[in-house]
Amino acid sequence: MKKGRGQTPTKSLRRRDFLIKTGGGALATSAFAAFPIISRAAEPVNIGALYPVTGSFAQIGQGCVTAAKLAAQMVNDAGGIKSLGGAKLNLIVSDVQSDTTVTRTETDRLISSNKLSAIHGCFASALTLIASEVAERAKVPLLTGSSSDQLNKGRNYTFTPFARASQFAQAQLRMSRLVSDKPKVAVIFENTAFGTATSNGLREQAAGEGVEIVLFEPYSAGFADASPLINKVKASGANALFSVSYLNDLILIVRTVKQVGLSIAINGGSGGFVIPDFYKSVGKLAEGLQGVAHWNHDMDANAQKVNADYQKIAGEFLFEYAGGLVAQTFMIADALERAASTDPQKVRDAIASLDVSKGYAAMCPGGKVKFGPDGKNIHAHPVGVQWQNGDLASVFPKEDARAPLMKT
C-alpha cells in the first residue's frame, strides 16, 4: 500500500498495525480449555468493501479502509448482529486500484468468491458506477458515498444515503452569495463522471439561484499545467471560482491561482478539497477556502466521537468519504438486525425500508436516513464547509453550521 502525501512513518505504522490487527475474521479456541465447547459462535457476516488503496485515488481509499475496519470493529464490540446470535461483521476488502477495468473484475471476483450480504464502495463515481452495475446483476445491495445522480437511475440494489451531485451544485451556488451579492462564477471541472455531473448541475441551476456563470470550462483530469486554465478564469471577470476536482488537480489549481496573482473567492466543492492531504499540500493557501461535503466530522456528538477514535489511528481528522462510510456500516448493521438473515435479497429489502433518526446510522447532515424508491435518502443534503485554522468547519446552511463563516 502506498503512503499518502504528507504521511509520517509513525502514522503509517499506526494505521498499518490497526489494519493488521482488525483484518482477520478467524476464530480461535484455547488449547487449555477445561471444559468442552457446548455451543458454536455465530457465523460471521461477510461485507464487501471496494476501495482504491493503490493508484491515483489511494490517499482517499486508504483512509476509507481504515474507517471501514474501525466501523466493523465498533459494531462487533457492541455485540455484533444480535438477531443473528451476535454474529460479527467480517469485512472483505478488495483493492480496485483506481482503475475502471479493475473495478469491474474485482467486483465480480469479490461477489463470486464470497458469500456476501452487502457491499460498500467505491467513493469515486466513475468506479462506483461500474461496481454498482455488477452488484445489480448479482442482486447484492451496495451502499455508496458517491455523488453521481446516475446511480439513482434504473437501479434496485444501489443506495445513496448522502447528497447527490445536483444538490452539491445548489449548495455551492447558494454559498457564492456569502461572498458577493452579484456572484459571477467561473466553473472549471474535470471531464469525469464526478466532474461532469456536478458542473452540469451548476449550469442548470445557476440562473434560478441568481448566479451568473461567466466561464464553463472542462479539463482533462490529471493535467500537469493549470496556467492556461487559470488565465481563462482571470480573463473572465469572475469574482468566484468553482473547481470540481479531485485532490492532485485541485492542489495544482490553488497553487496556480496564487502564482498568477489572481484574487478570487474559491469554492473547491467536494472531492479532494475536503480531505486532510489538501491542507498538508497547500498549507495556509487553504485558509478561508470554502467547499461542500456530504459529511463532516463536527456535525454531531456521534461524528465527533468517531472522529476522535479515527484520529488515534490515522493521526488526522475523519474526512467526508471515510466518515460517511462509518454511517453506512451501521446502516448495513441495522438492516441485518431487522432482516435477521444474511441473505442479500432480504438485506436489500431491509435497507430499502431503513428509517433512522438517531445513532451512528443517522450520522449525516440533518440526522435522518430514509430511502425513496430510487435508493436515494429523501432527507439528504450537503453541508457547506470552510478551512479554518487547519481544520474543516461546517458553516452552511445555518441549521448545520458549527462555526461562523470566516471572512477572507
Side-chain angles (χ1 to χ4, degrees), residues 13-25:
L13 288 172
R14 282 201 301 270
R15 181 174 293 181
R16 185 189 66 190
D17 291 345
F18 175 77
L19 296 180
I20 291 172
K21 289 177 182 177
T22 60

Side-chain angles (χ1 to χ4, degrees), residues 258-309:
K258 175 67 173 179
Q259 289 168 1
V260 303
L262 177 60
S263 178
I264 192 170
I266 298 177
N267 189 310
S270 183
F273 180 85
V274 297
I275 69 174
D277 276 343
F278 174 70
Y279 195 96
K280 292 175 188 175
S281 297
V282 303
K284 292 192 178 297
L285 290 180
E287 288 293 327
L289 300 189
Q290 300 174 29
V292 289
H294 69 235
W295 193 94
N296 198 34
H297 60 278
D298 65 355
M299 66 176 54
D300 62 21
N302 284 328
Q304 292 169 24
K305 180 185 182 304
V306 177
N307 179 53
D309 291 340

